[in-house]
Amino acid sequence: MPPKASDIEAGAGRNPIKRLPSNAELIPDAGKITMDEAAYFGKGIVKDMKTTVGTHWREEMTNFNQKTVAVSMLMFITVIAPTLAFGASYNTATESHIGAIETILATAWVGCAYAFIGGMPLCIIGSTGPVLAFTIVLYDMAKSLDIPFYTFYAWVSVWMMIYAFLCSFFDLTRFVRLATRFTDDIFAFLIVSIFVIRAIGDPFGGDVGLLWPFDPNHKNHNNQDEDYDYLQVALLGVILGFGTTWTIFFFRSFKNSSFFCNDTMRSSIHDFAVTFSVLLWTIVSKVIFKDVEVASLKVPDQFEPTFQCCDDACTMFFPRDCPDQAERAAVRPWFANMADTNGKGWAPIAAAGPAVLAFFLLYLDNGITWHLIMHKSNNVQHGEAYNYDLLLSGCFNLVNGLLGLPWLVATTVPCLVHLNSLSEKDKDGNVLYVQETRLTMLFSHMCVGFSILALDLLKLLPLPVLNGVFLFMGVSALPGIQFWNRFLLFFQQPSKYPETPYTKYMDKGRIHLFTIFQIAFFALVFVVQNIKAVAVVFPMMTFLCIPARTHLLPRFFEGWELVLLDGDIFEIQEWIDKKADSVAEYEASLRGELTDFEDGDSK
């Protein structure tokens, strides 16, 4: 029977009954985001070096085990396929000024160097769509200004390095550290959706994916052969691709099963699932269906600069610009001639302008991916190094610019795959432990480099099998994205919702409203990313999610709601503990045991 109001006010001769605090009163300023204290004049760089490379380097370079080998092989497959795909895109878009050889070389040396001296070695380095889009813009700009592309590209790289140094020196990376799960999930879901869409069939950006070969005019079809059946090829591609994805999940499921003799065997099957699946379906394609001409990975014939010259001046491309010439005169030199501005002495200064946008891409692509990987829920213990790694990224891309190689940044989905592959999780998907190592990045990127010596072997890999790996990478990352899990709540019975802090304490309508906000911002970023004319600014649109979270969402949600939906694990646990304490104290006061409760609590 509830107490009377007079009993509550007077205590009815007992200890007074305490008022149960509201959720908003439990933690003052809950959900408020504050900026870290600035570490100006290089202090942030020094701190990053001391707490990461300076503290954990030896451990991260010596923790070799079976998982290291398995994850290295997985990451090689994960990295080499998009490296070659981006190489082909660069080759077409820049008229062979940058090609597959350049992307392989850049990915290999930067990955190995970063593995040795980088501050956050869980983050995989590679090519991305926004950087490719900007490089195309830069190439067209160089043509319109009548400046040699390699020269202009190198000077933009110099300015980009200067901006990276200034940003790191004055700790401007603290702005990207304002990002919360709201922004992280939107960016992660965007990149995951790109992987899934491109693996199945991209309707926006080209004729890539498992379903596109059903088009009889697809570029991979051999229409010159009368016996060639494009439907047969397309159907086999679908079987290979989806078969690869299913087999990976099947092998990985053995880790928690009762089959096989011991945990070591089950862990081995789980760790090498991707490798086993790729080998299995490659054998199926090359042995069982050897007469079906499924497209294979496109690989250069030999290691040399992609741009071949009609003359010694290397101003014209062979054979396009000199079709009557029997042989090429040379290939372009590896180092750009910084002085060759074609009489445009102002070109080095003019390069400072586009370098601003180039740096912004570098800053955001790296920063948001780093923030996503270093989120507290991932239980990464070896520290973060935003300033130091941004400086390294500027240095690496300066070298790439001087060599005519593509710029590289942290790549989101490979980073997530790398993190998840090195993590041990409980049955609810919470990360218990991460094997933080430099060896997996080192070994995988060394394999990328050595692949230059075995280009013919790479040609054996069927393209649908690699699309199946991409599909696995995207789908396997979805359960770790809270945005996706909350989106699924729209289609679930409320009484069957999975138990999480927000489903336990919040009204379902409020949860759905927050998800709708994320859907709206995701749609905005997704649309911009898929409109080629403005795709280069999509990281800027992603960055706008940060002020939206700090200034817009607090107008619609209380602070405690933002903690449960968007806070880190420590903030959420603090609120839950205070909620439990307030309820226990209130119930004790109802029983007249407040004094005893407080005494016991103080002890």
Side-chain angles (χ1 to χ4, degrees):
M1 183 175 180
K4 298 178 181 179
S6 58
D7 291 341
I8 296 176
E9 295 174 0
R14 304 181 299 171
N15 293 310
I17 297 175
K18 295 194 68 174
R19 181 180 66 87
L20 182 64
S22 67
N23 290 333
E25 294 174 316
L26 294 175
I27 300 180
D29 295 328
K32 186 177 180 180
I33 301 173
T34 57
M35 186 178 295
D36 296 339
E37 184 178 350
Y40 292 130
F41 308 114
K43 294 178 182 178
I45 300 173
V46 175
K47 178 184 176 182
D48 290 347
M49 292 177 63
K50 287 182 177 179
T51 56
T52 56
V53 182
T55 303
H56 303 286
W57 189 88
R58 181 185 296 272
E59 175 189 350
E60 293 170 346
M61 287 297 291
T62 56
N63 51 359
F64 179 83
N65 52 33
Q66 174 184 291
K67 184 178 286 291
T68 306
V69 177
V71 175
S72 297
M73 296 179 69
L74 165 62
M75 296 317 300
F76 167 67
I77 297 171
T78 301
V79 170
I80 190 63
T83 295
L84 292 170
F86 273 107
S89 298
Y90 272 109
N91 186 50
T92 301
T94 65
E95 298 179 303
S96 299
H97 282 75
I98 297 176
I101 288 296
E102 283 81 3
T103 57
I104 293 175
L105 180 59
T107 304
W109 92 260
V110 172
C112 290
Y114 186 79
F116 277 110
I117 63 175
M120 295 180 286
L122 291 177
C123 297
I124 300 297
I125 307 297
S127 300
T128 65
V131 175
L132 168 62
F134 180 79
T135 304
I136 297 172
V137 172
L138 200 65
Y139 180 74
D140 293 337
M141 186 181 300
K143 287 180 64 176
S144 64
L145 295 174
D146 196 23
I147 302 172
F149 169 70
Y150 292 119
T151 303
F152 195 57
Y153 187 62
W155 278 112
V156 171
S157 301
V158 170
W159 283 105
M160 188 167 62
M161 167 61 205
I162 294 173
Y163 298 149
F165 170 75
L166 293 175
C167 183
S168 303
F169 190 74
F170 291 104
D171 191 24
L172 299 184
T173 61
R174 68 187 187 278
F175 289 103
V176 80
R177 296 200 295 272
L178 288 174
T180 63
R181 185 187 291 274
F182 178 80
T183 302
D184 291 344
D185 278 3
I186 289 174
F187 186 73
F189 191 64
L190 174 73
I191 303 301
V192 166
S193 67
I194 292 173
F195 266 69
V196 173
I197 290 173
R198 286 181 66 86
I200 296 176
D202 189 354
F204 305 104
D207 50 357
V208 296
L210 294 172
L211 300 182
W212 268 103
F214 283 98
D215 179 1
N217 298 316
H218 189 261
K219 61 183 180 182
N220 288 334
H221 289 319
N222 181 11
N223 294 322
Q224 305 300 320
D225 188 348
E226 295 181 356
D227 297 328
Y228 183 86
D229 186 347
Y230 79 92
L231 287 177
Q232 187 181 55
V233 173
L235 181 59
L236 179 58
V238 168
I239 294 173
L240 294 175
F242 287 105
T244 300
T245 304
W246 177 85
T247 307
I248 294 173
F249 281 111
F250 176 72
F251 285 151
R252 289 171 67 89
S253 68
F254 280 108
K255 184 170 185 178
N256 298 316
S257 74
S258 59
F259 292 93
F260 295 99
C261 56
N262 53 47
D263 286 339
T264 302
M265 178 65 72
R266 289 190 288 268
S267 296
S268 299
I269 295 174
H270 172 274
D271 292 342
F272 289 94
V274 175
T275 305
F276 291 159
S277 183
V278 169
L279 289 176
L280 172 64
W281 288 99
T282 299
I283 292 172
V284 168
S285 174
K286 299 299 181 181
V287 177
I288 300 179
F289 296 99
K290 61 181 180 180
D291 294 330
V292 182
E293 299 179 25
V294 175
S296 296
L297 195 60
K298 290 181 170 57
V299 180
D301 294 326
Q302 54 187 334
F303 178 69
E304 62 180 5
T306 304
F307 193 88
Q308 303 180 47
C309 314
C310 291
D311 51 29
D312 292 336
C314 210
T315 57
M316 296 186 294
F317 179 60
F318 174 86
R320 185 197 60 208
D321 298 333
C322 46
D324 298 331
Q325 190 169 316
E327 295 182 357
R328 70 188 186 190
V331 295
R332 63 102 172 172
W334 279 112
F335 282 93
N337 184 355
M338 303 282 286
D340 181 19
T341 60
N342 197 25
K344 312 293 192 304
W346 44 263
I349 304 300
V356 173
L357 185 54
F359 168 72
F360 201 67
L361 287 172
L362 182 79
Y363 177 85
L364 289 179
D365 270 10
N366 279 323
I368 295 177
T369 301
W370 291 338
H371 193 272
L372 183 66
I373 298 302
M374 303 306 295
H375 194 275
K376 292 180 180 180
S377 62
N378 293 328
N379 202 20
V380 177
Q381 300 295 319
H382 288 188
E384 57 190 29
Y386 287 81
N387 291 302
Y388 172 60
D389 277 9
L390 182 63
L391 180 61
L392 284 182
S393 184
C395 293
F396 292 153
N397 286 315
L398 170 62
V399 175
N400 284 349
L402 296 177
L403 292 172
L405 309 181
W407 296 324
L408 304 180
V409 294
T411 53
T412 305
V413 170
C415 288
L416 290 172
V417 172
H418 192 214
L419 173 68
N420 291 330
S421 300
L422 291 170
S423 301
E424 297 292 337
K425 300 182 180 181
D426 61 18
K427 59 182 179 62
D428 298 320
N430 299 313
V431 178
L432 303 175
Y433 166 75
V434 179
Q435 179 181 324
E436 298 182 54
T437 180
R438 297 174 181 272
L439 297 177
T440 49
M441 172 176 275
L442 177 62
F443 292 160
S444 61
H445 286 75
M446 284 177 62
C447 290
V448 172
F450 288 140
S451 68
I452 294 175
L453 306 176
L455 295 174
D456 289 338
L457 288 178
L458 291 179
K459 295 178 181 179
L460 297 177
L461 291 175
L463 199 56
V465 170
L466 295 176
N467 282 327
V469 175
F470 290 156
L471 182 59
F472 156 75
M473 290 164 58
V475 173
S476 64
L478 284 176
I481 302 175
Q482 189 194 97
F483 174 29
W484 170 253
N485 295 327
R486 278 188 281 100
F487 175 75
L488 295 179
L489 296 183
F490 283 113
F491 312 100
Q492 298 178 20
Q493 180 180 331
S495 62
K496 300 291 186 180
Y497 281 177
E499 185 172 328
T500 63
Y502 52 86
T503 56
K504 182 177 181 180
Y505 294 103
M506 289 182 61
D507 179 76
K508 62 181 178 62
R510 303 291 290 170
I511 299 172
H512 292 333
L513 179 61
F514 188 85
T515 307
I516 289 172
F517 269 101
Q518 275 192 299
I519 292 173
F521 278 92
F522 167 78
L524 177 63
V525 177
F526 184 83
V527 169
V528 170
Q529 191 269 335
N530 282 290
I531 299 177
K532 290 185 177 181
V534 294
V536 70
V537 302
F538 110 84
M540 189 180 299
M541 303 304 298
T542 307
F543 188 74
L544 291 178
C545 295
I546 297 177
R549 165 60 181 87
T550 57
H551 294 88
L552 177 63
L553 292 186
R555 297 176 180 271
F556 295 88
F557 297 92
E558 295 189 55
W560 68 274
E561 293 177 312
L562 292 174
V563 166
L564 296 182
L565 288 165
D566 196 42
D568 62 50
I569 55 176
F570 302 110
E571 293 174 320
I572 295 172
Q573 191 59 50
E574 180 186 3
W575 188 91
I576 292 175
D577 290 342
K578 287 186 179 294
K579 179 70 175 178
D581 289 345
S582 67
V583 172
E585 189 173 342
Y586 173 71
E587 292 177 347
S589 70
L590 289 179
R591 298 191 300 268
E593 301 171 357
L594 181 57
T595 302
D596 295 337
F597 175 82
E598 290 177 336
D599 291 342
D601 186 59
S602 64
K603 294 176 183 178

